Amino acid sequence: MPDTETFEPENIIVTGGCGFIGSNFVHHVVDNHPGVHVTVLDKLTYAGNPENIAGLPEDRVELVVGDVCDEGLLDELVPGHDAIVHFAAESHNDNSIADPEPFVRTNVVGTYRLLEACRRFDVRYHHVSTDEVYGDLALDDPARFTEETPYRPSSPYSSTKASSDMLVRAWHRTYGVRATISNCSNNYGPYQHVEKFIPRQVTNVLCGVRPKLYGDGRNVRDWIHTEDHSSAVWEILTRGRAGETYLVGADGERDNIDVLRAILSAMGRPEDDFDWVRDRPGHDRRYAIDPAKIRRELGWRPRHTDFAEGLAATIEWYRENEAWWRPAKEATEARYAAQGQ
Ligand code: NAD
Ligand code: DAU
């Protein structure tokens, strides 16, 4: 492992800290890095829920409700912080197909505004991105994505994430902004919105509704527990080299039908108790991450390597937290029904 200089932030801004991965990251920082204060900047869209960070110590975590596109707000907020970790985004592919505009605004313009603020106030920046920027792989292709894979995004969502990655690279090279990028695979765990695959199927079963599988169910996703994503982002923020990209994954390739059958079996349902529904237009076939660089350079390793165990704990979390997901369920399913999904 090469020597890397350690950056020791004391006062960080976490954008999107009321969303799924951002809030898990805030919990991770509070639990593991006692000297660090977190300012969460979140617009509280349909995907943001302040409950996700409720109960954390007030002297460690402050919530500022606002938009990452708001230049005036950033001018007030950013000075005095030593880093921005940027999770905020419109994150759901199906929504981006129905209405791309908010994706362009938040994901592209929002990133631009944050980079400009980092430039003005000389603040370090970590950009949370996705493996979807690399497009997809064939099912029979032995290859996995690496940091050298050319960008080839397919959906409105992934093309806005790819655009934002390009801005980060340009702001580092041209203006010297101290920026790093991580491209991670599919996360699962607590606090994930019920629009996403695993929570949608788990809460469908809890509601007595049959789960819904797109296409032929053979699309492959590379699953990682969100706590492992959090530890990777922290390692990159504090020990990653500015200007570098790190791919984050946990060797978790599985096809959708296998994940769905695992959910049905863990919840005591027959494994064919689901509906086939209309496929997603442009549906990416397979994602797969080669995490060799982050392992080699930063010594990072995932801790949640038993998918069945992580899935069982996640199912249990949704069982125990119906009050958290119930308010979003009906509107989410109405949106899917209108799309034939
Ligand atoms: P999410 O949709 O659960 O949460 C997004 C959060 O951002 C919400 O709290 C929302 O209120 C906030 N937000 C949206 N627009 C905003 C704006 N204009 N200003 C301020 N806040 C705003 O998303 P997630 O699944 O937690 O994803 C977080 C990040 O991780 C995204 O950048 C996503 O691209 C990336 N990512 C997600 C996954 C995954 O599997 N979900 C995998 C890799 C990377
Ligand atoms: O790869 C990282 C990406 O993972 C992130 O960048 C995105 O923000 C995140 O949403 C996720 O994107 P996906 O499109 O892969 O996730 P989603 O949960 O929407 O779907 C996972 C797979 O399950 C995908 O192949 C579509 C399929 N699916 C999804 C839903 C909601 C179904 O078969 N049925 C469903 O009801």
Side-chain angles (χ1 to χ4, degrees):
M1 206 192 311
D3 271 353
T4 45
E5 233 176 83
T6 303
F7 166 61
E8 294 177 353
E10 292 174 358
N11 205 4
I12 65 176
I13 293 175
V14 174
T15 73
C18 291
F20 163 46
I21 305 176
S23 65
N24 276 285
F25 180 75
V26 173
H27 282 269
H28 176 85
V29 173
V30 169
D31 293 346
N32 295 284
H33 304 288
V36 180
H37 181 272
V38 179
T39 304
V40 170
L41 172 59
D42 198 299
K43 189 179 171 184
L44 301 183
T45 67
Y46 79 96
N49 188 342
E51 282 299 310
N52 299 8
I53 54 168
L56 292 175
E58 282 173 20
D59 60 337
R60 301 284 313 281
V61 179
E62 181 192 1
L63 170 60
V64 174
V65 178
D67 191 328
V68 293
C69 299
D70 183 342
E71 188 180 346
L73 173 63
L74 295 179
D75 273 346
E76 280 172 31
L77 197 64
V78 174
H81 290 90
D82 31 42
I84 295 176
V85 186
H86 181 34
F87 290 92
E90 288 292 339
S91 69
H92 193 42
N93 275 300
D94 293 318
N95 295 346
S96 81
I97 294 165
D99 180 13
E101 185 157 346
F103 288 75
V104 175
R105 188 177 176 280
T106 287
N107 300 0
V108 183
V109 178
T111 299
Y112 158 72
R113 292 268 149 75
L114 289 166
L115 287 166
E116 282 291 81
C118 288
R119 182 154 85 97
R120 279 197 296 284
F121 302 111
D122 190 21
V123 165
R124 189 165 174 135
Y125 178 85
H126 179 71
H127 188 68
V128 178
S129 192
T130 169
D131 58 358
E132 296 193 17
V133 300
Y134 300 114
D136 62 353
L137 299 160
L139 294 182
D140 60 358
D141 186 344
R144 301 195 289 177
F145 300 137
T146 73
E147 287 76 7
E148 275 69 51
T149 304
Y151 274 43
R152 200 172 56 86
S154 322
S155 73
Y157 161 69
S158 55
S159 61
T160 61
K161 292 297 290 187
S163 311
S164 65
D165 292 10
M166 294 300 158
L167 294 177
V168 179
R169 290 176 182 203
W171 262 243
H172 168 71
R173 176 156 171 169
T174 307
Y175 303 118
V177 169
R178 292 170 293 138
T180 42
I181 301 177
S182 53
N183 296 84
C184 187
S185 59
N186 283 64
N187 285 219
Y188 73 99
Y191 300 111
Q192 188 167 29
H193 195 277
V194 290
E195 68 192 354
K196 302 297 194 313
F197 181 59
I198 289 178
R200 183 182 186 203
Q201 315 313 343
V202 170
T203 55
N204 275 353
V205 174
L206 293 175
C207 292
V209 171
R210 281 158 68 93
K212 314 289 176 206
L213 195 59
Y214 296 174
D216 64 4
R218 292 288 168 202
N219 302 66
V220 170
R221 296 295 181 263
D222 190 353
W223 294 97
I224 179 173
H225 195 283
T226 191
E227 281 172 19
D228 288 327
H229 189 183
S230 292
S231 65
V233 167
W234 183 263
E235 287 305 311
I236 299 166
L237 173 70
T238 56
R239 295 173 52 240
R241 288 179 292 138
E244 291 292 314
T245 289
Y246 297 86
L247 264 54
V248 180
D251 301 320
E253 279 188 73
R254 280 184 175 73
D255 59 21
N256 294 339
I257 195 164
D258 286 349
V259 174
L260 180 53
R261 286 190 174 133
I263 292 170
L264 287 164
S265 143
M267 298 183 78
R269 306 294 312 156
E271 58 169 39
D272 60 352
D273 192 15
F274 65 87
D275 295 329
W276 298 99
V277 294
R278 188 175 76 89
D279 203 359
R280 173 183 285 170
H283 196 176
D284 279 341
R285 202 57 171 153
R286 168 175 163 251
Y287 305 139
I289 292 267
D290 177 351
K293 179 176 173 181
I294 187 170
R295 284 174 170 250
R296 189 180 61 245
E297 283 199 11
L298 304 179
W300 172 84
R301 298 279 183 282
R303 288 182 45 241
H304 296 264
T305 48
D306 184 336
F307 182 71
E309 196 178 291
L311 185 63
T314 302
I315 293 170
E316 199 45 36
W317 189 89
Y318 283 89
R319 249 191 233 292
E320 285 174 1
N321 290 279
E322 181 171 345
W324 180 87
W325 57 262
R326 178 63 76 178
K329 183 69 181 166
E330 201 180 322
T332 304
E333 288 306 317
R335 245 186 356 248
Y336 276 126
Q339 292 166 188
Q341 292 177 317

